[in-house]
Amino acid sequence: MALYRTDAIVLGHRNLGEADKILTLFSPEKGKIHAVAKGVRRPRNPILAGSQLFTYSNFLIIEGRNLDNISQCEIKESFYKIRQNLEHMAYGLYFAELLRVSTPMEDKNRELFRFFLKTMYLLQEWNNTELLSRIYEIKLMAIQGFAPEIFRCVGCGEKVGNKVYFSTLMGGILCLNCHEKDRKSINITPETISVLRKMLMMTYEELEGLHVKEYIKEQLKNISSIFISHHIDRKLKTVQFIKDISNLKTGKSL
Ligand SMILES: [Zn+2]
């Protein structure tokens, strides 16, 4: 039986049989893979700590005929701070779900791995999880190759003026002359597009202190969610969880 060693982050897990779990791992060498953690639901199992959500470890894996088996793991970063805070946990689950559903199995992508790992480190540190989330979404879409065109009108190729519309169907912004090409296009402000461009072009570090006005936040959230659900044809389970948590924070009843 072949053995291999790889770094990986735990993106998800589900129970298997009486004491096992199937982990969804994301690795720089292998992409998204499934592997069985045998006996991991028993106390004092050596792989137990490394099977926690978001944990980043070096795994020793035995190739199986159907499923691979985890033989050993050495934790590099447990990201326990994310799991300790309900809001950060909700965003972590959302980031992992978005990555999981937008990535095919065993599709190696080192850039995507580095980007995801970095996002998880920042999720531990940043208080502004909403800003982190908007930046993550647009950058993830860009790496995955389905970012919207936000620099020129997708209808005519010209620069947009003061009236800007966002079209999910056509995959980007529309100018005043073209906006009727998609009757469902949404009117947004030039300031919103300018913030979105910054989020796409600048690094997380450069964007950390970015102040975003409330109405821009709302517009970004709206277009981002419509755009993502257009590209990922399934309902994301974690979106409602984030809504519930933010309602709890603002005191609204669920
Ligand atoms: Zn146009």
Side-chain angles (χ1 to χ4, degrees), residues 115-233:
F115 167 69
F116 186 72
L117 185 62
K118 171 145 202 188
T119 307
M120 296 312 269
Y121 274 109
L122 295 177
L123 182 58
Q124 280 207 128
E125 292 164 17
W126 283 22
N127 290 321
N128 194 345
T129 44
E130 196 185 343
L131 176 68
L132 184 68
S133 187
R134 293 297 89 80
I135 305 170
Y136 172 71
E137 288 161 348
I138 183 83
K139 288 191 182 301
L140 178 70
M141 286 186 267
I143 298 173
Q144 300 283 48
F146 59 90
E149 167 59 69
I150 52 174
F151 293 92
R152 284 173 185 276
C153 170
V154 283
C156 64
E158 295 296 319
K159 286 195 169 172
V160 290
N162 277 334
K163 283 265 177 203
V164 193
Y165 298 80
F166 187 85
S167 164
T168 299
L169 203 64
M170 293 175 70
I173 52 172
L174 287 170
C175 69
L176 182 62
N177 295 333
C178 297
H179 85 276
E180 285 190 341
K181 288 181 180 173
D182 174 8
R183 291 186 175 275
K184 284 187 173 171
S185 64
I186 307 163
N187 183 213
I188 51 171
T189 63
E191 290 79 19
T192 302
I193 280 304
S194 150
V195 172
L196 199 57
R197 285 175 185 156
K198 279 186 190 159
M199 289 178 165
L200 183 64
M201 303 305 289
M202 290 162 71
T203 64
Y204 275 127
E205 286 81 2
E206 289 168 326
L207 291 162
E208 186 175 359
L210 187 72
H211 180 74
V212 184
K213 292 182 187 146
E214 280 306 316
Y215 79 91
I216 296 180
K217 276 188 201 166
E218 285 308 312
Q219 290 189 350
L220 287 175
K221 196 167 159 183
N222 187 26
I223 57 175
S224 182
S225 115
I226 300 171
F227 194 76
I228 288 171
S229 44
H230 178 78
H231 280 274
I232 295 164
D233 54 344

